[in-house]
Amino acid sequence: MKGWFDRAIGAPGTVSFDRFQAAVDDARTLEPWARALSDAELRPAARAAVLHGDQASGRTAGAGLLAVLRTAAERTLGQRPFDQQMLACCALISGHAIELDTGEGKTLVGAMAAAAYALAGRRVHVLTVNDYLARRDAEWMRPLYAALGMSSGCVGQDTPHGERRQLYRADIVHAPVSEIGYDVLRDRFVTTAGARVAPAQDVAIVDEADAVMIDEAMSPLVLAGTAPAATGNVALADQLVQTLRAGEHYTVDDDHATVSLTDAGIDALEWRLGGVNLYDAAQAETLTRINLALHAHVLIVRDVDYLVQDGEVILISAARGRVAEHQRWPDGLHAAIEQKEHLALSSPGMVLDNLTVQDLLRGYATVVGMSGTVLPVAEELSEFYGLSSGRVPRRLPNRRVDLPQRVFLDDESRTQALVAEVQERHRTGQPILVGTQSVAESERVAARLTGIGLEVDVLNARNDAAEASVISAAGEFGSITISTQMSGRGTDIRLGGADERDHDRVARAGGLAVLQVGRYPSQRLDAQLRGRSGRQGDPGVAVTFTSLDDELVLTHAPAYLMTKATRQDGAADTHALGAVVDAAQRIAEGARRDRHRDTWDFSRAIARQRHTVLAERDEVMRGEHVREQLGSRIPTQLKALTAATSVQTVDDAAREVILWCLDDAWSDHLAQLGEIRDGIHLQALAGLSPRDEFHRITLRRFEGFFDTVYDRAAGILRTITAAQLTAGGAALGMRRPSATWTYMVRENPFGGSLERGARTAGRWFRSRVLGIE
Ligand code: ADP
Ligand code: MG
C-alpha cells in the first residue's frame, strides 16, 4: 500500500524518467540515418549532436546523440542497446542515479553515458567496486570509445605509479573507487607539483552505486607511512585480557561495535599488574594496549573479519565479504590481532591523512550512479550527494518467484532445512546459489553439503577474477555455489553456463534458485542477492532461511515482539516470527542510517580544516609564504644561508622543511581528533551534545595551527649550517615515510579504541574528564 502511494506521489529523492521517452522514441526513428554513417563520420556526428543539440533535425534534444551511440555500440560490440538502456543512458546524462535490474546491461549504459560526457569535453571516471570489474569493463568498452574517437584506460591496484599520470589523461578512465581515492590522498603529500598523478575529478559514473555511495560511504581510505617503532607490551596486554570474563570484567554494547572495561575489570587488571592505578598517567600506554587487545579478542573474529595467511593477518571487508588488499587495521589494533594469533608483529606506521568515499565523490563536479537497488536509498543519495534517483523498467517481465521467508527457532534446524532444500532441488539439476552472511558461515554451509556428498563451489574473499569465473558458472546445470554478500557482484550468472549452451534445459529445471541464509542488514541487500536470479526474463526462484540465532535478530530484534512470537508452549508462530525478523532488519537499517549521518557530521568538521591546510600547502609548494613567514622569524639566518649557498638552495630547503612540518602537524592533529572523537561519547553522560562538543574542541585545537608549523620550521632552519642545507632533508632530521599503505577503519564515530594507535585514550580521559593534562 505504502509502496504504491509513494510511487504515485514520488518518494523523497525520486524522479520519473518518463520525460526521456520522447528522445528514445525519436532515436529509434533516427536509427537509419545513424546506421548510414561511415565509421569516420560517427565521431563528428556525435560531436555535432552534443554541441548543437538536435534543432536541425527537428527532433527531441538528445535523440541524434542517442542514435549515434546506439549505432556505435552495435557496430563495435555487436550489441544493439535496448530502448530501456537508451532511457537509462538519458537519465545518467541528465545527472541522475538509475535503478536498473541486474543483468539488464548497465555496463553498456554507463559506457554510453561516459562517451556522451566525454564528447561534451568532460573528463570521466567510471568507478567500480573492484579491480577485476574495472579492467573487464574498460577492455569490453574500449572499442566503443575508440569508435567515437575517445581515449580510455584503466587504473587498478597493480598499475605502476609511474604510468598513472599518463593514464589519468585519458578521456575516460575505469577504476575501482578506492584506487582513485588513494591517488588523491598520495597527491596531497607530494613536495613538487610535477610529482602528482592528478586524477581529474570531473564526472564520476558510479557502478553498484548503493554499495559504494551508501554502504562504503563512510569507510575512510587511510594513507599511512612508516613511523618509529611503537613501544608498549603487546604480549602482556594479550595475556591479561584472556583472564577477563564477559559481563563481569567487560561489556559489549548492543551494536557489537564497542567493548568497555567495567570497574570490576579495571580492579582485576590493577590487581594482576601488582596494584598499579591504571588511570595513572604512567599507565596510559598499558591501558590503551589492554583496550586494543580486548577489542581484538572480543570484537574481531577470525574468518569473519580477517584471515590468517602465510603468517599475516589479511583483512576481510565487512561490507563486501572479500579480502581487502594492502590494508591493515590502525596499528595498535593490528598488532593486538597479530599477537592474538601469535604472529610476528609487523612494523607500525602513522596515519598521514584519510578520505571517506563520500568526500572523494563529493569532490567531483558531477556524480551519477547506477545499480539494481537504488530506490531504497534514494533519500540518502539526495541528502548526501544531491542526487535524484529513478527506476528504469526491465525489458522483459520478471519471472522469478519469491517464496515467503522460512523462519526457524535455531541455527541447526535452519541448516537442516536448507540442506534438505538444496538436496531436493539439486536432484532435478536446478542450479543453486546459497547466499551467506560471512566467510565463516559459507564454509560451515559448504562443509555440511560436502558432508552428504554434494559438490559445491565456495566464493569467498579470494581474488576477484577467480570469483568471477566461478560465479559465471553458477547457472550451469547441477551446480551449487556458495557466496557471501558482495562476492561475485557485477558478474553475470547466465543460465546454462557462460555461453548459455544449456540455457533451455536449465530454464526447464526452474532457472537459478537463490537460497539465502539469514537476512542481510537491509531489504536492499536481500533484493540484491535475489536479483542474481531471473535476469533478462529467465525463470528462477528465491527463498530466505532465517533463524532466531542470526546475528541480525539477536542484535536488533525488539524483546517484546520476541516473547510474543514464541509464547505458546515454546512453539513458534511462523508469521509472528517473520514479523520479528522484519522488525530487526528495519532497526538495523535505521541504525546504519543514523551512524552514517553521525560519522558524516564528524568528518565535516575535519574536512573544513583539511581544506584550509591543503590550500596553504599548495601555496607553500608554489613558493609563496616561504620568504615572508621565515623572513619575519629568522631574517639573519636566512641571509647567512643565502650568502653561503644560493637563493634557490635556501628556497628549496625552506619549502621542504615547511611542507614536512605541515604534514607532520596535520597527521598529529588528526590523531588527536581521533582520540577526542573516541572519547566524546562520555560527554553525553555530562548532558552535553557530543556533536557540538566535538565541533568546539576541533576548532579550539586548530587555533594557531599554522603559526606552530612556521615556528617549528624556523626552529629547524635556525640551527643548521650551509653544509647540512645542501645535504638535504635527512641531514635535517626530517624523514619522509619511505612507504605508504592503507588502513581499514570501520565507521564508528563513538566507537572504541580504533584510531588512536599507539597514542593514548587515557590522555583524553585524563585531560577532559579528570582535568589533568
Ligand atoms: P548489469 O550490470 O546490469 O547487471 P551487465 O552490464 O553485466 O548487466 O550485462 C549483462 C549481460 O547482458 C551481459 O552479458 C551483456 O553482454 C548483456 N547485454 C547487455 N546489453 C545487451 C544488449 N543490448 N544486447 C544483448 N546483450 C546485452
Ligand atoms: Mg553490473
Side-chain angles (χ1 to χ4, degrees):
M1 180 62 192
K2 182 166 179 296
W4 169 85
F5 188 68
D6 278 351
R7 269 198 301 281
I9 61 162
T14 62
V15 287
S16 158
F17 293 152
D18 290 350
R19 66 203 143 107
F20 300 126
Q21 195 56 51
V24 173
D25 293 340
D26 276 354
R28 228 177 10 245
T29 39
L30 284 174
E31 211 172 339
W33 160 76
R35 280 189 168 154
L37 296 169
S38 71
D39 287 351
E41 285 166 337
L42 283 178
R43 179 180 165 86
R47 285 277 296 167
V50 167
L51 294 180
H52 312 301
D54 291 275
Q55 293 105 330
S57 62
R59 303 286 175 180
T60 320
L65 175 63
L66 292 183
V68 177
L69 289 174
R70 175 179 258 164
T71 297
E74 187 174 18
R75 231 176 251 181
T76 53
L77 309 174
Q79 293 181 341
R80 178 181 173 275
F82 305 120
D83 279 358
Q84 287 77 9
Q85 287 174 300
M86 298 318 297
L87 187 82
C89 177
C90 273
L92 285 184
I93 298 172
S94 337
H96 295 100
I98 58 156
E99 176 173 286
L100 179 59
D101 286 353
T102 303
E104 295 288 302
K106 285 185 288 296
T107 315
L108 179 52
V109 170
M112 289 191 294
Y117 277 112
L119 282 163
R122 307 285 300 269
R123 307 275 300 278
V124 186
H125 291 170
V126 182
L127 303 176
T128 58
V129 288
N130 66 44
D131 256 47
Y132 164 77
L133 290 173
R135 195 154 308 124
R136 181 199 70 176
D137 295 352
E139 275 162 27
W140 184 4
M141 295 298 150
R142 183 177 300 123
L144 169 64
Y145 299 142
L148 293 164
M150 250 112 44
S151 57
S152 62
C154 173
V155 172
Q157 266 171 16
D158 302 334
T159 309
H161 196 70
E163 290 173 18
R164 291 179 181 230
R165 195 176 160 77
Q166 186 59 31
L167 282 167
Y168 280 128
R169 294 221 179 103
D171 299 311
I172 299 165
V173 179
H174 285 254
V177 66
S178 52
E179 230 22 64
I180 303 259
Y182 292 135
D183 279 333
V184 167
L185 275 172
R186 285 188 209 105
D187 268 3
R188 289 181 183 171
F189 284 88
V190 297
T191 52
T192 56
R196 289 198 168 127
V197 298
Q201 290 183 265
D202 186 11
V203 179
I205 300 178
V206 186
D207 196 8
E208 307 291 358
D210 57 325
V212 172
M213 302 175 79
I214 301 297
D215 295 331
E216 299 261 311
M218 282 297 119
S219 323
L221 306 166
V222 179
L223 187 72
T226 38
T231 53
N233 196 334
V234 180
L236 173 68
D238 189 72
Q239 286 160 13
L240 284 172
V241 302
Q242 293 188 52
T243 66
L244 301 177
R245 282 186 297 274
E248 182 184 349
H249 295 134
Y250 61 86
T251 55
V252 178
D253 75 340
D254 290 347
D255 265 2
H256 276 254
T258 52
V259 52
S260 348
L261 290 165
T262 61
D263 286 344
I266 295 279
D267 288 345
L269 289 164
E270 288 178 340
W271 178 78
R272 277 184 189 277
L273 286 165
V276 302
N277 174 5
L278 272 177
Y279 288 119
D280 197 79
Q283 299 298 325
E285 172 74 30
T286 312
L287 184 56
T288 299
R289 288 282 169 208
I290 290 171
N291 275 316
L292 291 168
L294 195 59
H295 195 108
H297 275 274
V298 178
L299 299 180
I300 312 263
V301 183
R302 181 167 173 165
D303 292 334
V304 174
D305 299 307
Y306 65 95
L307 308 170
V308 175
Q309 244 170 43
D310 304 327
E312 273 183 59
V313 170
I314 314 258
L315 276 64
I316 301 172
S317 152
R320 305 193 207 159
R322 55 171 57 253
V323 295
E325 284 172 70
H326 304 307
Q327 292 205 333
R328 319 200 330 184
W329 270 291
D331 278 314
L333 185 58
H334 203 85
I337 293 165
E338 288 170 332
Q339 184 65 46
K340 166 183 158 193
E341 297 292 345
H342 310 292
L343 306 171
L345 305 190
S346 45
S347 80
M350 61 188 262
V351 171
L352 299 175
D353 202 359
N354 60 45
L355 174 72
T356 62
V357 170
Q358 185 160 325
D359 259 321
L360 172 71
L361 291 176
R362 286 171 57 109
Y364 282 82
T366 303
V367 181
V368 297
M370 51 191 190
S371 168
T373 44
V374 158
L375 292 193
V377 289
E379 196 172 351
E380 283 165 272
L381 289 175
S382 158
E383 175 179 346
F384 295 121
Y385 302 93
L387 198 54
S388 53
S389 312
R391 180 165 169 84
V392 178
R394 301 167 65 103
R395 184 173 62 98
L396 299 170
N398 186 0
R399 287 170 59 207
R400 185 189 66 235
V401 178
D402 295 339
L403 299 171
Q405 74 171 336
R406 297 173 58 185
V407 188
F408 300 85
L409 288 178
D410 57 49
D411 186 51
E412 181 49 34
S413 50
R414 180 255 308 276
T415 307
Q416 282 173 14
L418 175 79
V419 169
E421 180 93 12
V422 170
Q423 240 175 338
E424 191 173 316
R425 290 187 180 274
H426 180 67
R427 210 166 285 141
T428 67
Q430 183 172 31
I432 297 163
L433 177 69
V434 181
T436 64
Q437 303 289 320
S438 68
V439 174
E441 188 173 62
S442 66
E443 263 151 21
R444 271 200 306 278
V445 171
R448 287 293 282 265
L449 293 174
T450 41
I452 55 164
L454 296 176
E455 203 177 298
V456 302
D457 274 313
V458 187
L459 270 179
N460 58 33
R462 268 177 286 166
N463 72 64
D464 306 324
E467 280 192 356
S469 83
V470 172
I471 197 113
S472 67
E476 281 175 11
F477 191 81
S479 78
I480 304 174
T481 312
I482 303 178
S483 78
T484 52
Q485 198 256 112
M486 277 295 284
S487 57
R489 190 155 163 179
T491 305
D492 225 9
I493 305 183
R494 299 187 196 178
L495 296 191
D499 56 5
E500 295 185 273
R501 195 183 318 152
D502 214 8
H503 182 278
D504 294 353
R505 182 159 69 126
V506 173
R508 277 196 306 278
L512 181 67
V514 171
L515 308 182
Q516 185 178 340
V517 184
R519 297 266 291 268
Y520 290 116
S522 71
Q523 284 189 20
R524 170 172 52 87
L525 296 176
D526 291 345
Q528 191 56 248
L529 178 74
R530 279 200 301 277
R532 307 305 304 249
S533 169
R535 68 178 276 281
Q536 307 235 353
D538 281 336
V541 61
V543 58
T544 307
F545 293 73
T546 316
S547 138
L548 297 188
D549 283 349
D550 284 342
E551 180 90 27
L552 179 84
V553 180
L554 290 178
T555 314
H556 293 289
Y560 71 96
L561 277 182
M562 201 76 149
T563 30
K564 224 165 80 183
T566 43
R567 196 162 38 191
Q568 311 107 345
D569 337 317
D573 167 353
T574 319
H575 185 73
L577 287 180
V580 173
V581 176
D582 292 346
Q585 189 180 52
R586 274 196 306 276
I587 292 168
E589 175 70 8
R592 185 200 58 70
R593 213 175 288 135
D594 289 348
R595 212 160 46 229
H596 189 162
R597 293 207 170 98
D598 277 345
T599 316
W600 176 236
D601 203 65
F602 279 96
S603 89
R604 286 325 294 150
I606 303 175
R608 276 191 290 272
Q609 297 181 345
R610 173 181 292 110
H611 190 75
T612 324
V613 172
L614 289 177
E616 181 84 8
R617 198 183 188 284
D618 259 358
E619 290 176 4
V620 171
M621 225 161 62
R622 285 199 303 270
E624 292 166 35
H625 303 321
V626 173
R627 284 274 158 182
E628 162 204 334
Q629 289 290 349
L630 296 179
S632 64
R633 286 174 168 86
I634 44 167
T636 27
Q637 169 75 346
L638 277 192
K639 267 190 215 108
L641 287 174
T642 310
T645 60
S646 69
V647 174
Q648 188 68 41
T649 311
V650 174
D651 279 358
D652 287 352
R655 203 185 59 231
E656 289 251 347
V657 171
I658 295 173
L659 289 179
W660 184 80
C661 292
L662 196 63
D663 294 345
D664 199 54
W666 176 247
S667 167
D668 206 55
H669 182 64
L670 272 186
Q672 287 186 30
L673 294 186
E675 219 172 87
I676 293 165
R677 203 183 67 171
D678 282 352
I680 204 80
H681 63 299
L682 294 172
Q683 297 289 341
L685 300 177
L688 299 168
S689 148
R691 231 172 272 185
D692 295 348
E693 189 66 354
F694 181 76
H695 285 284
R696 215 172 52 74
I697 300 176
T698 305
L699 278 181
R700 206 180 56 209
R701 285 288 165 101
F702 196 62
E703 274 167 26
F705 179 88
F706 292 113
D707 280 338
T708 316
V709 167
Y710 288 115
D711 285 348
R712 186 166 171 209
I716 291 175
L717 288 165
R718 180 173 290 127
T719 57
I720 64 166
T721 63
Q724 282 174 315
L725 192 68
T726 12
L732 307 182
M734 317 180 304
R735 212 167 301 121
R736 284 206 161 265
S738 55
T740 56
W741 61 85
T742 56
Y743 280 142
M744 162 87 86
V745 182
R746 230 187 259 173
E747 53 175 284
N748 190 6
F750 298 109
S753 35
L754 280 177
E755 273 177 357
R756 46 182 98 98
R759 292 170 207 272
T760 66
R763 192 156 87 197
W764 183 87
F765 190 80
R766 282 194 317 281
S767 62
R768 297 287 313 158
V769 179
L770 305 177
I772 1 175
E773 273 302 349

